[in-house]
Amino acid sequence: MGMKVVGDAMRVEAGLRGEMRYNEPMARHVSWRAGGVVDRAYLPADLADLRGFLRKLPGTEPVCFVGLGSNLLVRDGGLRGTVVFTHWALRQIRLENESGGHGEIYAEAGVAGPKVARFAALHGLAGAEFLAGIPGTIGGALAMNAGCYGGETWDIVTRVNTIDRSGALHERTPAHYRVGYRTVALKAEGGRRKDAMKSNAKIHPSSFIPPPSEEWFVAATFRLRPGDGEESRKKIKELLTRRIASQPLGQPNAGSVFRNPPGEYAARLIEACGLKGHAIGGAMISEKHANFIVNAGGARAADIEALIDAAQSAVKQKFGIELEREVRIIGEAA
């Protein structure tokens, strides 16, 4: 069975089993439910199909990997190039080596964080409970060292699998990366990406791909300590209860917009500037949690970005602190 094509445009090449879409609205694929279209979107059938797709893709084509879009804003003018949606295909999760009570869980990039947390608890392994509070996929969690409630993704990573532009697979360990608070970069070649992530500038989407080899995470193996499944499930339930109580989960949002500055909380700084409930167009700084921006109805990406800029400006003026974005903004203005 060949590649399925949706929409009007040229085919990449026959022989693929995934689905190619053209002029795909990214608002369908990001948790803010706002933003423009991407020229091409590919939904691979599996990892082998993804390898074939990358091998056939023109070398000049910009590529962006997207999971559940829970940390992403695509500007209203859309995105040039191709987006690969990992959560449609990279869904394998399994228990691997067990020794001395410890265990390893292999999870592909399209698996959601909460699923890994529940899987670990099911197998009596502890240390992954915090992943229940991360709404995105493992691929996204690896790319930004996502964390919450005292845990961070790379604290439990023992190795990762990546794919490069040629479709070749690589196995790497944490020693290959510079890992920090919400930042991850290959030691040998991640300088430009690290600089881009630290900047609040409006950056081309290719800045989020580690140059020059262009590798993306396709799986990770997590090493976890022995635990009590019932205790882990209780911890997960408590964590989710706290999340429901403190975050505006009933409205489209992308989680924490800004990283917490050293010794401070971004939410406290934004609230101290009187911005809770402040709205621009259909976007609003949440009245429940000031480090969240919600789509209150019909928000454009430009509305959300304007609120991000307003919060940064207000905090800089009042406290002299430069808030750094945790969310990624890509694409072109309308």
Side-chain angles (χ1 to χ4, degrees):
M1 182 177 177
M3 178 181 69
K4 180 181 177 183
V5 178
V6 179
D8 298 322
M10 63 179 182
R11 292 172 178 266
V12 172
E13 195 170 323
L16 296 172
R17 293 173 290 114
E19 180 180 315
M20 175 67 83
R21 297 178 180 178
Y22 294 90
N23 299 315
E24 178 71 6
M26 287 300 292
R28 296 177 182 172
H29 302 282
V30 300
S31 57
W32 256 319
R33 298 293 180 257
V37 303
V38 63
D39 292 344
R40 288 164 290 280
Y42 191 64
L43 289 63
D46 51 31
L47 183 55
D49 183 61
L50 173 58
R51 296 183 71 185
F53 173 75
L54 289 173
R55 284 195 292 265
K56 295 174 186 292
L57 203 63
T60 56
E61 176 80 352
V63 181
C64 180
F65 275 46
V66 173
L68 292 172
S70 59
N71 191 48
L72 184 68
L73 181 67
V74 179
R75 293 191 177 98
D76 298 304
L79 188 60
R80 307 289 73 80
T82 297
V83 163
V84 174
F85 291 113
T86 60
H87 67 284
W88 290 80
L90 304 183
R91 296 180 174 182
Q92 285 192 38
I93 182 170
R94 61 178 181 263
L95 187 65
E96 293 202 326
N97 307 321
E98 290 186 90
S99 60
H102 285 73
E104 290 186 344
I105 291 175
Y106 170 90
E108 289 187 334
V111 178
K115 184 171 183 178
V116 177
R118 293 192 298 269
F119 187 85
L122 179 65
H123 291 279
L125 296 173
E129 294 88 354
F130 73 93
L131 288 172
I134 296 172
T137 59
I138 290 302
L142 291 168
M144 66 172 291
N145 192 23
C148 63
Y149 303 113
E152 288 189 331
T153 302
W154 281 81
D155 290 344
I156 57 174
V157 170
T158 185
R159 58 189 177 276
V160 295
N161 300 98
T162 66
I163 192 167
D164 67 23
R165 188 60 188 252
S166 71
L169 297 174
H170 307 271
E171 183 174 285
R172 297 188 181 276
T173 69
H176 289 104
Y177 296 89
R178 286 195 303 268
V179 178
Y181 174 58
R182 305 296 177 265
T183 61
V184 178
L186 275 169
K187 285 181 177 177
E189 55 194 34
R192 182 165 67 89
R193 182 173 184 265
K194 186 177 181 183
D195 292 342
M197 289 291 288
K198 290 178 71 175
S199 170
N200 287 318
K202 295 172 176 62
I203 309 164
H204 187 274
S206 64
S207 297
F208 294 111
I209 301 167
S213 64
E214 297 191 284
E215 287 186 17
W216 299 272
F217 296 110
V218 292
T221 301
F222 303 105
R223 183 166 174 78
L224 302 168
R225 65 184 184 274
D228 180 283
E230 186 175 339
E231 190 63 32
S232 290
R233 285 187 286 273
K234 180 181 177 183
K235 190 173 181 179
I236 289 170
K237 185 177 180 180
E238 290 172 352
L239 187 154
L240 293 176
T241 300
R242 286 171 61 188
R243 187 165 173 255
I244 291 168
S246 64
Q247 299 177 10
L249 302 185
Q251 295 172 292
N253 70 82
S256 296
V257 174
F258 300 104
R259 304 173 192 169
N260 288 323
E264 258 296 357
Y265 291 97
R268 190 198 74 79
L269 297 171
I270 296 166
E271 184 174 356
C273 292
L275 290 178
K276 257 191 174 182
H278 180 61
I280 296 177
M284 182 178 72
I285 293 178
S286 172
E287 294 178 320
K288 197 169 189 179
H289 193 306
N291 198 17
F292 281 62
I293 291 176
V294 300
N295 184 342
R300 300 176 305 142
D303 299 333
I304 295 168
E305 190 169 4
L307 269 186
I308 292 172
D309 292 343
Q312 286 176 315
S313 179
V315 169
K316 172 66 173 176
Q317 185 174 354
K318 187 175 180 69
F319 297 103
I321 295 174
E322 294 272 6
L323 287 180
E324 294 182 10
R325 286 197 317 263
E326 187 169 310
V327 298
R328 298 179 179 182
I329 301 176
I330 59 177
E332 303 174 1

